[in-house]
Amino acid sequence: MQDTQALSIIDCDVHNTFRSIDDLLPYMDESWKSQAFLRGGGLPYVSPIGNKRKDANPPGGFPVGSDPDFMIKQLIEPYNMDYAILCCDAIIGVSSFSDADYAAALCRAYNDYMIAEWLPKSPKFKGLLCIATQDPYQAALEIDRIAPHPDVVGVTIVGGSRMPYGQRFFHPIYEACQRNHVPLVIHPGAEGAGIFNPPTAVGYVSNYLEWHSCLPQTYMAHLVSFVCEGVFEKFPNFKVVFSEGGVAWLPPLLWRLDKNFKALRAANPWLKRMPSEYVHDHCFLTTQPIEEPDNPKHLKMIFEMFDAENMLLFSSDYPHWDFDDPTKILKQFPIEVRQKIFSENARKLFKLA
């Protein structure tokens, strides 16, 4: 415990939310307020044990993650965190809605709500602005509107999609991220819902265990697309975080991608470097949920297979059921490596003091 207390901690995946849609109504245009009561959405796969910690219910009966004061007392103060980066997983799923304008309206309302109701509560709160991916030009305008706020440090979208994220349809989003010097954070939450494609390469699965276990498939497809479509050549200062999708899948994917590129580079003539080099320079992954092999040495071996100490960001996933206690994870690694993962990498990426 004393060893971990000496670490600076920046939690890169903390889930706040609103108490009900009523919280967003003051920040919505009149034309959308009436519709907010009528529309729904959400995951097609539901955890049989729920997705929140049982001890994270705030006083007053409000939803888990909806009380900033309680979050400060339960998460930030006990672990003496430098910063908690807020990602509202209740809103990013709107990219699965068929109505692009309504989805964008909800994102605008949430972003204004976050700035008004959450960020002033503590200087340790930093926010990810939400955008809807159905209309990248409208999303880019929202990035330009919100990203200049000093406590907004990134943009978040959901992993579910109708096409791989490297394709040109989405490039206005990345141009806006680069223009505003903020990274893009991709987070799971609605794969297989609404207008999105199935959550696996072979179709829809039957239950939450299958859905949750197969999430890396989505990230593999997006990462390969980012590289092969030339996103990092076109936007050389653009950075991407793959949040809450594990890390062990990355080394073998890069090996395969580099091997194939040597013979097939004519298909992607705009690439000037090996695919793995782009990934090492532009991509990050969060630690939660870190893989837990029976032999802890195997995880250390995986870390040695890619630039883990410079590409990983600590995340707790508070207040979800699979919360990672920063005093319990990665204790087998040297303090210098842990310090990079627990705060230094995030401090550089999100430009935090």
Side-chain angles (χ1 to χ4, degrees):
M1 184 71 173
Q2 292 180 349
D3 178 45
T4 303
Q5 285 180 329
L7 291 171
S8 297
I9 300 175
I10 297 176
D11 193 337
C12 294
D13 189 28
V14 177
H15 295 297
N16 66 316
T17 191
F18 37 89
R19 292 169 295 179
S20 74
I21 195 66
D22 290 349
D23 287 349
L24 301 189
L25 294 183
Y27 305 97
M28 298 185 77
D29 295 336
E30 289 295 330
S31 59
W32 297 113
K33 285 184 179 180
S34 60
Q35 296 191 44
F37 290 105
L38 302 176
R39 299 179 184 236
L43 269 177
Y45 301 100
V46 179
S47 168
I49 59 172
N51 70 341
K52 301 294 191 294
R53 283 172 44 173
K54 304 303 182 186
D55 66 342
N57 292 292
F62 294 123
V64 172
S66 66
D67 186 331
D69 295 319
F70 184 74
M71 184 181 290
I72 292 169
K73 292 179 181 179
Q74 189 174 50
L75 178 69
I76 293 178
E77 291 179 350
Y79 298 107
N80 193 28
M81 291 183 172
D82 288 3
Y83 298 104
I85 298 177
L86 303 174
C87 175
C88 184
D89 57 350
I91 199 72
I92 57 175
V94 299
S95 289
S96 69
F97 292 3
S98 58
D99 189 333
D101 293 319
Y102 176 65
L106 279 177
C107 288
R108 288 193 300 270
Y110 167 75
N111 293 333
D112 289 338
Y113 161 79
M114 175 185 69
I115 289 172
E117 305 290 340
W118 277 84
L119 299 183
K121 288 288 185 177
S122 170
K124 297 192 174 187
F125 281 146
K126 302 297 177 183
L128 299 178
L129 73 93
C130 292
I131 56 171
T133 58
Q134 298 96 321
D135 183 345
Y137 290 98
Q138 195 167 182
L141 290 174
E142 183 67 357
I143 296 171
D144 288 337
R145 185 177 79 93
I146 297 295
H149 189 284
D151 292 321
V152 172
V153 297
V155 177
T156 188
I157 60 175
V158 75
S161 181
R162 288 183 287 176
M163 64 186 82
Y165 278 147
Q167 296 190 6
R168 290 169 218 177
F169 174 81
F170 298 107
H171 287 196
I173 294 173
Y174 315 145
E175 184 176 15
C177 287
Q178 178 170 271
R179 182 167 61 245
N180 289 280
H181 311 290
V182 289
L184 180 75
V185 179
I186 305 176
H187 192 283
E191 290 79 355
I195 63 173
F196 288 159
N197 287 323
T200 78
V202 293
Y204 292 93
V205 295
S206 298
N207 56 58
Y208 182 85
L209 174 60
E210 296 176 68
W211 177 87
H212 195 271
S213 299
C214 289
L215 285 174
Q217 290 187 24
T218 301
Y219 282 177
M220 290 181 198
H222 287 321
L223 184 145
V224 171
S225 181
F226 276 124
V227 173
C228 293
E229 297 283 349
V231 170
F232 302 129
E233 276 292 333
K234 187 175 182 181
F235 307 109
N237 297 316
F238 174 58
K239 309 288 186 182
V240 182
V241 178
F242 295 89
S243 182
E244 206 175 312
V247 303
W249 52 269
L250 183 62
L253 179 67
L254 295 184
W255 299 337
R256 182 177 179 86
L257 190 54
D258 277 356
K259 176 188 73 71
N260 289 340
F261 178 68
K262 291 174 183 178
L264 303 172
R265 67 177 65 208
N268 306 85
W270 42 84
L271 297 184
K272 301 175 183 178
R273 306 161 65 195
M274 294 297 290
S276 61
E277 294 179 36
Y278 289 107
V279 174
H280 289 149
D281 287 349
H282 293 269
C283 298
F284 298 82
L285 301 92
T286 62
T287 57
Q288 200 285 332
I290 199 75
E291 286 82 2
E292 299 178 1
D294 292 337
N295 185 342
K297 293 181 180 179
H298 292 167
L299 184 60
K300 294 187 72 173
M301 293 172 64
I302 290 171
F303 274 35
E304 293 170 358
M305 294 174 186
F306 72 108
D307 193 18
E309 66 179 271
N310 294 307
M311 293 178 65
L312 293 185
L313 311 171
F314 168 74
S315 63
S316 71
D317 197 30
Y318 177 91
H320 287 172
W321 63 273
D322 48 355
F323 167 81
D324 275 352
D325 185 325
T327 68
K328 303 291 176 61
I329 70 164
L330 305 183
K331 299 189 76 171
Q332 68 270 42
F333 293 92
I335 186 69
E336 297 81 7
V337 172
R338 295 169 65 204
Q339 187 62 77
K340 284 186 174 183
I341 295 171
F342 275 82
S343 68
E344 289 180 12
N345 295 338
R347 202 176 301 277
K348 293 177 183 177
L349 176 66
F350 294 110
K351 300 177 179 60
L352 298 170

